[in-house]
Amino acid sequence: MDTIVCLKQVVDPELPQWDFAIDPATKRQVRMGKPLVISTYDENALELALQLKEKTGGKVTALTLGPQGEVKDAVRLALAMGADEAVVIDDPQSPQRLAADKASVLAAAIKRIGRFDLVLTGCESADWVERAMAPFLAEALGAACVTFISRAESRDGALSVRRTSEEGFQTVDVRLPAVLSVTSDEAIRPRLPKVKDIMAAMRKPVANWTRADLGAEDAGGAKGVEVKDVSIPERTTKVEFLEGEPAEQAEALVARLRALKIL
Amino acid sequence: MVQGLARDFATREILPRAAHLDHTGEFPKDLIQKAADLGLMGMTVPEQYGGAGMDPVSYVIAQEEFARASAGVQAIITVNNSLVCDPIVAFGSESQKRRYLPGLSSGKDLGCYCLTEPSSGSDAMSLRTSARLDGDAWVLNGTKTFVTNGVEATICIVYARSAPDPGAKGISAFIVEKQFPGIRVGKVEKKLGIKCSSTAEIILDSCRAPKENLLGEPGMGGRIALATLDGGRLGIAAQAVGIARAALEDSAAFARERRQFGQTIGEFQAIQWALADMATRIDAARLLMYRAAYLRRQGRPYTKEASMAKLFASEAAMWASHKAVQIHGGYGYIQDYAPERYFRDAKITEIYEGTSEIQRVVISRHVLGAR
């Protein structure tokens, strides 16, 4: 099974809240000087791709789009974890673009890479949480699409996936080629690469393309979408005291927790 | 990327268990095996001997990450790497490298370093353990003390006097397997900090080590010990920087949250200055450590620089962890919070692999041109 995994580099979401800042000019998160990591669910997608390769054979290609200097670490890490090939599309403006525009560039790159059975993405990015990349890619590639999958199993050349939905799980048989967006599961905990694999990854070749190489014109942003404003939600802490006897307090507490949809 | 791996390993595997390991003193055998599986037990060992082939700068960067999570776990890892693998790589014969390095790198074996004796600490070259050639074996007699990893180690680097010459001249180094006859673990020490790493006596009672287990040439032991300690001091500098960083990170987080007199304590200048001084000393310590590691990578002398890094970093760690306890107030004094552990762990960095006083002796000899 030949798989292409799309990896996005984001500012480490584990950074403390006070390290999060928005650039008022670009209306985007400040990236300068912040540690970048592969977006959480994208790393899960990579792990799932590697597990599928271990079971069924084939090749895993890591694909990323962004300012070359920033994103090369993402594909190096993917190579260290076990990806066979890596492609970087250099786009210094990438952090300012939204999903539809980036999907058109990634789709062009996937077409240029050529044959594939699967394209995997994270179900959402850790910064913008648009949840749109997989459907956009599937549309552009004319492939099937299943979102929020937590497991995948190859059966007689077809693929059976477990999709997480609000009601529980759905098992979906998918025709290939397909684009899948991956959520989390206890079975897809991203592996830590070995030191010797990290050293080897530094020596592996990485293909470097530009938007121009792919014929993807710079439309200056996603068509029809304009980000008017972004802000950091204010966190407030409130304490409520429930009056009455213990039994009454317990009853009031349950009612309050239900109202807050915690229970 | 090596830093990323070390940080992920430390955050995912070490940090969640750090407090428990400190409270129980339990040796984290599974954790050390996981570290070995990732290539972290033979980090600078060349790949042909089963190691990761990493350079000294990457090595200290990774060690800082482990120590940030648990100085005790890092002590186990750095002793195996710096004090056991390093001298075998540098001074071992081809057959010794092939025999011992793959096991030490893969986690099959664990190493310890037997230099200190009850009556020779800072004055290490006055050691009394004896080595006598008897047919095809060296016979070793003596007691080694304060041996990190002493309980669990399977491979020991032992220094003993093989000739009557005083001082460093008569000392030789040996690779001694714990399974050799006549070697046993003596008293296991109870310590202030780094509790999950064992510290034990190693007793050599007519221990017979094959003739070919001499490391280097007869009489080279003093040189091997000092060269090994240069590298070891980088590991301790990294340990100290890691502890100090943990102290700063916890203190900064606490200062942002803790409110007194209607504001966070981070809004008081007394706390701001303490944090600023902690951050500055930590950066200075880290840069001294990087410089020494860089010189080592270049194959240039780095004895003075390693001592400077170890001296400054260990004193910065003691100072920063003391500040962290104070910033946390009562919470800094109880075991539910980590600063009291940092405070206890930091102290050893001023003592082992050369006390601060010995580092000053080493540095001043270079300054005065009296080496």
Side-chain angles (χ1 to χ4, degrees):
Chain A
M1 182 132 357
D2 289 344
T3 306
I4 297 167
V5 188
C6 300
L7 303 172
K8 180 179 184 181
Q9 274 219 329
V10 297
V11 174
D12 188 348
E14 299 293 324
L15 280 184
Q17 185 194 338
W18 55 79
D19 261 343
F20 184 92
I22 291 170
D23 179 348
T26 61
K27 300 189 180 70
R28 297 293 187 276
Q29 187 180 0
V30 174
R31 290 165 75 92
M32 183 73 81
K34 310 284 183 192
L36 300 174
V37 296
I38 296 177
S39 186
T40 318
Y41 292 111
D42 292 359
E43 206 175 356
N44 289 355
L46 174 62
E47 175 60 35
L48 183 63
L50 296 170
Q51 290 181 11
L52 282 169
K53 182 183 107 166
E54 283 158 5
K55 285 177 196 156
T56 66
K59 187 174 77 175
V60 172
T61 304
L63 173 63
T64 189
L65 168 70
Q68 196 176 33
E70 285 186 6
V71 298
K72 63 179 189 312
D73 283 352
V75 294
R76 289 284 176 207
L77 178 59
L79 289 168
M81 287 170 73
D84 302 282
E85 291 176 3
V87 178
V88 169
I89 309 160
D90 182 26
D91 181 4
Q93 297 305 312
S94 171
Q96 275 78 55
R97 304 182 201 275
L98 292 176
D101 177 66
K102 287 194 269 197
S104 66
V105 182
L106 288 169
I110 291 166
K111 286 175 185 166
R112 182 167 171 179
I113 291 168
R115 210 192 90 76
F116 68 91
D117 300 301
L118 278 179
V119 173
L120 299 186
T121 71
C123 60
E124 62 186 40
S125 63
D127 50 5
W128 277 89
V129 199
E130 288 181 283
R131 303 181 172 180
M133 186 54 71
F136 277 137
L137 283 176
E139 179 69 20
L141 296 167
C145 183
V146 187
T147 52
F148 294 95
I149 70 141
S150 54
R151 293 184 189 182
E153 198 179 336
S154 176
R155 281 189 202 145
D156 306 324
L159 198 71
S160 174
V161 300
R162 185 157 100 166
R163 178 174 194 270
T164 305
S165 69
E166 284 186 7
E167 293 77 32
F169 298 119
Q170 298 168 333
T171 302
V172 183
D173 290 330
V174 196
R175 66 174 164 78
L176 301 178
V179 180
L180 309 175
S181 81
V182 180
T183 177
S184 54
D185 187 84
E186 60 190 27
I188 46 174
R189 200 171 177 227
R191 66 195 65 190
L192 291 173
K194 295 180 179 177
V195 178
K196 70 178 174 55
D197 295 330
I198 291 176
M199 311 298 244
M202 305 308 272
R203 298 190 287 264
K204 285 187 185 174
V206 173
N208 290 294
W209 298 344
T210 61
R211 285 177 72 104
D213 293 337
L214 298 165
E217 63 184 63
D218 189 344
K223 293 187 188 89
V225 178
E226 185 189 350
V227 176
K228 288 281 193 188
D229 200 10
V230 284
S231 61
I232 299 171
E234 274 188 32
R235 193 182 70 161
T236 54
T237 309
K238 208 170 108 186
V239 180
E240 287 179 41
F241 287 96
L242 300 171
E243 305 293 339
E245 294 300 311
E248 292 166 339
Q249 286 177 315
E251 204 172 313
L253 178 61
V254 170
R256 194 75 191 94
L257 292 175
R258 284 206 172 120
L260 292 167
K261 297 193 171 168
I262 294 168
L263 284 182
Chain B
M1 211 186 311
V2 168
Q3 183 176 35
L5 164 67
R7 187 172 292 175
D8 284 349
F9 177 71
T11 307
R12 219 193 259 187
E13 304 286 350
I14 304 176
L15 197 55
R17 293 170 59 184
H20 174 79
L21 292 171
D22 175 61
H23 297 161
T24 61
E26 195 176 287
F27 178 79
K29 191 177 177 189
D30 60 321
L31 204 54
I32 297 304
Q33 187 56 57
K34 280 183 186 171
D37 292 343
L38 292 171
L40 303 172
M41 293 305 281
M43 294 170 82
T44 55
V45 170
E47 288 181 65
Q48 70 261 37
Y49 303 116
M54 199 186 272
D55 72 278
V57 177
S58 305
Y59 174 74
V60 294
I61 287 172
Q63 294 298 321
E64 179 190 327
E65 297 298 329
F66 306 148
R68 196 257 317 176
S70 163
V73 172
Q74 188 264 355
I76 300 167
I77 297 175
T78 198
V79 164
N80 192 74
N81 276 283
S82 296
L83 299 188
V84 182
C85 291
D86 271 8
I88 299 177
V89 169
F91 299 99
S93 66
E94 185 59 25
S95 69
Q96 286 170 343
K97 289 177 190 175
R98 291 196 181 284
R99 183 173 167 85
Y100 292 112
L101 293 174
L104 288 163
S105 302
S106 71
K108 180 179 140 307
D109 288 309
L110 183 71
C112 69
Y113 186 79
C114 307
L115 176 65
T116 301
E117 296 179 5
S119 56
S120 68
S122 291
D123 184 14
M125 296 303 133
S126 68
L127 62 84
R128 292 182 191 169
T129 294
S130 65
R132 167 176 62 82
L133 195 56
D134 177 26
D136 60 355
W138 289 95
V139 181
L140 304 168
N141 277 291
T143 298
K144 295 292 179 178
T145 193
F146 301 146
V147 178
T148 304
N149 293 346
V151 173
E152 302 81 12
T154 50
I155 309 289
C156 316
I157 303 290
V158 176
Y159 294 90
R161 193 164 296 284
S162 59
D165 312 61
K169 275 185 185 170
I171 297 172
S172 296
F174 303 88
I175 305 173
V176 181
E177 298 179 28
K178 271 270 193 69
Q179 60 173 359
F180 288 168
I183 180 168
R184 68 175 199 273
V185 177
K187 185 183 174 215
V188 180
E189 306 295 348
K190 290 178 182 168
K191 309 192 293 284
L192 180 68
I194 57 164
K195 291 194 172 187
C196 66
S197 68
S198 65
T199 301
E201 250 182 8
I202 295 290
I203 298 166
L204 300 143
D205 183 6
S206 296
C207 172
R208 291 183 73 85
K211 199 176 168 184
E212 62 270 21
N213 275 42
L214 174 74
L215 184 62
E217 300 296 321
M220 247 177 101
R223 203 183 120 200
I224 294 173
L226 295 178
T228 302
L229 286 174
D230 284 346
R233 283 165 188 165
L234 290 182
I236 304 308
Q239 181 178 51
V241 172
I243 295 169
R245 188 178 119 207
L248 173 64
E249 288 175 355
D250 285 17
S251 299
F254 188 80
R256 283 174 183 276
E257 298 291 334
R258 175 71 170 164
R259 296 184 73 83
Q260 291 290 278
F261 303 104
Q263 60 184 5
T264 65
I265 62 167
E267 290 172 79
F268 291 106
Q269 201 171 51
I271 304 296
Q272 292 167 359
W273 284 24
L275 293 171
D277 289 346
M278 286 163 85
T280 305
R281 290 185 193 207
I282 292 166
D283 262 15
R286 189 182 287 118
L287 290 169
L288 282 171
M289 172 177 83
Y290 285 169
R291 178 182 66 166
Y294 177 76
L295 288 171
R296 187 178 186 198
R297 186 170 78 178
Q298 302 292 95
R300 290 159 62 185
Y302 68 102
T303 300
K304 178 186 72 175
E305 290 77 9
S307 280
M308 284 177 162
K310 198 266 188 188
L311 169 66
F312 191 85
S314 58
E315 294 191 345
M318 199 64 236
W319 189 85
S321 59
H322 173 256
K323 284 285 175 205
V325 171
Q326 195 65 22
I327 288 168
H328 281 74
Y331 296 104
Y333 199 67
I334 60 173
Q335 290 193 350
D336 286 351
Y337 285 72
E340 63 89 26
R341 167 161 59 91
Y342 305 147
F343 186 62
R344 287 183 287 105
D345 286 346
K347 186 61 209 170
I348 191 60
T349 66
E350 292 185 321
I351 298 171
Y352 63 3
E353 301 206 25
T355 59
S356 291
E357 291 71 21
I358 287 296
Q359 306 310 327
R360 288 186 166 91
V361 168
V362 172
I363 297 162
S364 63
R365 276 183 189 156
H366 282 77
V367 172
L368 293 167
R371 50 202 141 114

